[in-house]
Amino acid sequence: MACLRDDDAVASAIRAAAEDVHAPARLRAAIAEECRAPAIPRAASPGSTYMTLDTPPFQAATERSAPLAPWWLAARVLGALATLAVGAVHLQQYFKLYSGVPTIGTLFVLNFAGATAIGLGLLLPVERLAGRHGGAAVALLALAGIGLSVTAFVFLAISERTPLFGFQEPGYDPAAITASRISEVAAVVLLGTFLVARTRQRRRST
């Protein structure tokens, strides 16, 4: 019993001493101000591992991880195939009719080479192969495919009405002309759709 009374006396002395101890007024004022202030996300310092949703690295990772809609990818793939078809028609016509035509024959071969490079480039995972420049590379390939197809379409239309580079299209192969026009229009529409959809996605993600 004497031990319990001694313990109670010690506890009472500790509580009495604690009641006389107060935090400095400046510290109490700082704590009160901190409690009243709204919470503000901290900015991540260069060497810090703390990141918020607004930090640039997180935004970049979010943009890279955001997948393209399936129909956008379908437009890119079909546009690439249409571009390859443009080149294939021109190569077939080169060997069938135009290999001996000055300038025009050379343009047909260049059309095939350009269309093949562009079409295969659009079918490859350029975003991963080219790193941070992958997005720009894909956009340039799509624009190049559109430009090549538009140029071929316009040149054909001109050559049917008036000589182009000293040659006027005689219309010996209507089926090939039709196939060329269909593939050129398809490439322009599909690759244009892909570029518009891709641009809208990038605007929404910023």
Side-chain angles (χ1 to χ4, degrees), residues 13 20 27 57 62 98 124 144 161 177 184 189:
D20 294 332
L27 178 59
T62 302
Y98 299 96
L124 292 173
R161 292 164 176 79
I177 292 175
E184 288 156 7
V189 172

Side-chain angles (χ1 to χ4, degrees), residues 83-95 98-99 101-119 144-145 147-149 151-152 155 165 184:
T83 304
L84 290 172
V86 172
V89 170
H90 281 78
L91 183 65
Q92 183 267 343
Q93 287 294 290
Y94 170 80
F95 286 116
Y98 299 96
S99 59
V101 180
T103 306
I104 295 297
T106 302
L107 290 176
F108 273 42
V109 173
L110 292 176
N111 180 288
F112 166 74
T116 301
I118 294 167
L148 181 142
S149 299
T151 301
F155 278 9
F165 303 114
E184 288 156 7

Side-chain angles (χ1 to χ4, degrees), residues 20-34:
D20 294 332
V21 177
H22 300 286
R26 183 177 300 176
L27 178 59
R28 292 200 303 272
I31 294 173
E33 184 66 24
E34 182 72 18

Side-chain angles (χ1 to χ4, degrees), residues 185-196:
V185 171
V188 171
V189 172
L190 291 166
L191 294 179
T193 300
F194 167 71
L195 285 176
V196 170

Side-chain angles (χ1 to χ4, degrees), residues 124-168:
L124 292 173
V126 178
E127 292 89 343
R128 286 184 291 178
L129 296 175
R132 62 192 182 111
H133 300 296
V138 170
L140 288 175
L141 285 170
L143 288 172
I146 292 173
L148 181 142
S149 299
V150 169
T151 301
F153 189 94
V154 171
F155 278 9
L156 175 59
I158 293 174
S159 67
E160 287 179 321
R161 292 164 176 79
T162 184
L164 178 67
F165 303 114
F167 171 81
Q168 187 166 356

